[in-house]
Amino acid sequence: MGKQQPDPPLSLQKYGVPFYSAAWVPHFHLQSKLPSSSSSSSQDHDGDDNNSGGGSTTTNDAPQPYYAVLAGGGGEGRSGIPNAVLLTRFDPASNSLSPQPVAKRETGSDLPYRMVVHPGGDGLICAMPNSCRYYEWDQVKDGDEQKLDLKPSEKVLSPLEDVGQQLALAFNSDSSVLAVGGEDGNLRVLKWPSMEVILNEAQAHTSVKDLSFSLDGKFLVSLGGRGPGRVWDVTSATSVASLSKENDEIFASCRFAQANDNTPILYTAAITGKGGSIATWNTSTWKRIKSKNVVREPISSFNVSPDGKLLAIGTAQGDVTIINAASMQNQMMVKKGHLGIVTAVAFSHDSRALVSASMDSSARVTLVEDKNSGGGVNVGLILLIILLAISAYFMKKGGLLPFLG
């Protein structure tokens, strides 16, 4: 008899839709939309606004659930695979994803290929083949409870109508500016929610692959299919620097973060002949600080935790890796976490959970192990050195190590 395969973990679920995007619902907004789940918590904490949720606790110390939003589908063909945006619930106490979506909005023949969630809770934007579509959070009654849902917004994003496939979308941290990059290389930067155009660069790249705003919103970095990355001053709407690539690098993704000393830093993930590498950049000079090869397979997705201490990588072979940002050492790895390409990885707002999504129609949540994320000294190594020193001392006294005399 063949060896029986173990059951998949409850934190891994398949939803019948190949996924291209994944993100978390902003938790503070979730609480406002689901008053039945937050009212007791707010009373128990006597109005404490420092409780950030998503792993927050009530008086019985039960972690509050997270909600992830996933987007993808089978495209325009008649494959029978729907195009849809899904909401799924993750329970950190049982480390389990809901086996069925808590909400599902099918999008007809339009594939939601890319997605960005508004950090301030306004909703989310999906990039369809020709236009971008806006969705708002909603709540529906499910028995005696209120359930989180999505609904198409009546708001039409006019500057993003009939613009072709957009491959990258990003909001700045205070939710006031939206950047969108197209398959045709056009980069658009717009005020939110007025949609007033700040920048419209027709030939920013041959094709825009990724976008990231600096934490203060002053700069925007764009990466193209080939060639160097570009740094844009948002206020002046001009390109102010280039990010040069090395040797056989192909930039895959970029993210701004804050280093341990509170200085801003830029990360770029790249595909190389040796696999995948991560580079760090000085955000004043826009010069490369260092690069390190971190995986042997091509990087297919990349992200940084909100606290800046962790990096996440998904690979074309289905692996998910969490890296300590300070030491650039692997902290966790889920080998073959998915059976297909990992198309998206995203940390929860409290940096405690990582959702990953794949073209194999699966979503997975990995709880971050509580390790020293500051790049500090390994305590176990210190104890080992002390024990070895004590052993050497007594062996020397006993004459067993005369060369130390």
Side-chain angles (χ1 to χ4, degrees):
M1 294 178 63
K3 187 176 180 180
Q4 185 175 1
Q5 293 295 320
D7 292 333
L10 296 177
S11 58
L12 172 68
Q13 298 290 345
K14 285 200 170 186
Y15 297 109
V17 175
F19 293 122
Y20 295 94
S21 297
W24 295 97
V25 177
H27 192 271
F28 72 92
H29 180 69
L30 180 67
Q31 288 186 329
S32 70
K33 280 293 184 184
L34 297 176
S36 60
S37 67
S38 61
S39 57
S40 60
S41 176
S42 60
Q43 292 170 2
D44 293 338
H45 287 284
D46 197 23
D48 183 3
D49 290 333
N50 292 325
N51 188 340
S52 60
S56 63
T57 58
T58 59
T59 50
N60 62 3
D61 292 330
Q64 295 296 303
Y66 303 70
Y67 284 82
V69 57
L70 308 160
E76 296 183 74
R78 298 180 179 179
S79 62
I81 301 173
N83 299 307
V85 182
L86 286 69
L87 282 172
T88 183
R89 182 180 186 272
F90 176 71
D91 179 16
S94 60
N95 192 18
S96 61
L97 270 172
S98 55
Q100 298 296 326
V102 297
K104 182 177 180 179
R105 288 287 173 179
E106 294 195 6
T107 60
S109 61
D110 291 334
L111 169 67
Y113 187 57
R114 291 289 185 265
M115 173 183 68
V116 64
V117 171
H118 185 270
D122 279 0
L124 61 89
I125 299 172
C126 288
M128 306 299 186
N130 295 309
S131 302
C132 290
R133 192 177 302 174
Y134 178 41
Y135 290 85
E136 296 175 339
W137 303 117
D138 193 16
Q139 58 179 342
V140 295
K141 198 156 188 178
D142 184 14
D144 294 332
E145 295 185 2
Q146 297 288 339
K147 187 176 72 170
L148 188 68
D149 201 353
L150 274 172
K151 64 179 181 181
S153 175
E154 295 180 358
K155 178 183 177 72
V156 177
L157 307 179
S158 299
L160 302 180
E161 287 283 302
D162 300 318
V163 292
Q165 180 69 66
Q166 303 302 294
L167 301 181
L169 303 95
F171 276 106
N172 66 352
S173 59
D174 70 2
S175 314
S176 63
V177 180
L178 169 68
V180 181
E183 191 173 35
D184 60 0
N186 195 309
L187 172 63
R188 295 173 175 86
V189 181
L190 311 107
K191 292 182 180 180
W192 182 269
S194 69
M195 299 303 287
E196 177 186 340
V197 176
I198 299 173
L199 170 68
N200 189 353
E201 184 73 19
Q203 296 296 323
H205 300 276
T206 55
S207 180
V208 181
K209 290 179 66 175
D210 202 14
L211 297 166
S212 183
F213 281 99
S214 60
L215 301 184
D216 59 10
K218 293 181 179 179
F219 298 102
L220 172 71
V221 166
S222 62
L223 299 181
R226 297 280 177 176
R230 299 183 72 177
V231 182
W232 305 83
D233 183 298
V234 176
T235 303
S236 64
T238 57
S239 177
V240 295
S242 294
L243 307 177
S244 58
K245 66 187 191 72
E246 292 183 347
N247 302 325
D248 59 349
E249 276 186 334
I250 299 174
F251 287 133
S253 188
C254 57
R255 289 294 182 272
F256 280 94
Q258 188 168 280
N260 282 350
D261 59 359
N262 293 327
T263 58
I265 193 169
L266 172 68
Y267 294 98
T268 56
I271 299 170
T272 70
K274 296 181 179 179
S277 68
I278 294 176
T280 54
W281 301 78
N282 183 299
T283 57
S284 296
T285 63
W286 303 109
K287 300 296 183 183
R288 187 185 299 245
I289 300 171
K290 62 181 179 180
S291 299
K292 182 177 181 182
N293 200 72
V294 290
V295 290
R296 295 180 180 178
E297 296 82 26
I299 294 174
S300 54
S301 52
F302 173 73
N303 222 322
V304 180
S305 63
D307 63 11
K309 295 179 179 180
L310 301 170
L311 313 177
I313 285 176
T315 71
Q317 277 66 41
D319 301 338
V320 177
T321 302
I322 297 176
I323 297 170
N324 183 300
S327 65
M328 281 293 177
Q329 299 296 319
N330 286 1
Q331 180 163 317
M332 295 177 65
M333 182 177 183
V334 184
K335 191 74 175 174
K336 298 295 182 185
H338 300 270
L339 298 179
I341 297 173
V342 182
T343 50
V345 288
F347 285 97
S348 59
H349 77 283
D350 56 10
S351 305
R352 296 178 183 176
L354 178 78
V355 63
S356 52
S358 171
M359 289 183 66
D360 70 355
S361 302
S362 68
R364 184 180 196 124
V365 174
T366 302
L367 288 174
V368 177
E369 294 177 358
D370 187 15
K371 292 185 177 181
N372 185 345
S373 59
V377 179
N378 188 304
V379 176
L381 181 60
I382 293 175
L383 291 175
L384 177 61
I385 292 172
I386 292 172
L387 289 172
L388 289 173
I390 293 171
S391 299
Y393 171 76
F394 284 107
M395 292 175 74
K396 174 187 173 183
K397 286 192 67 175
L400 298 177
L401 295 175
F403 58 85
L404 292 178

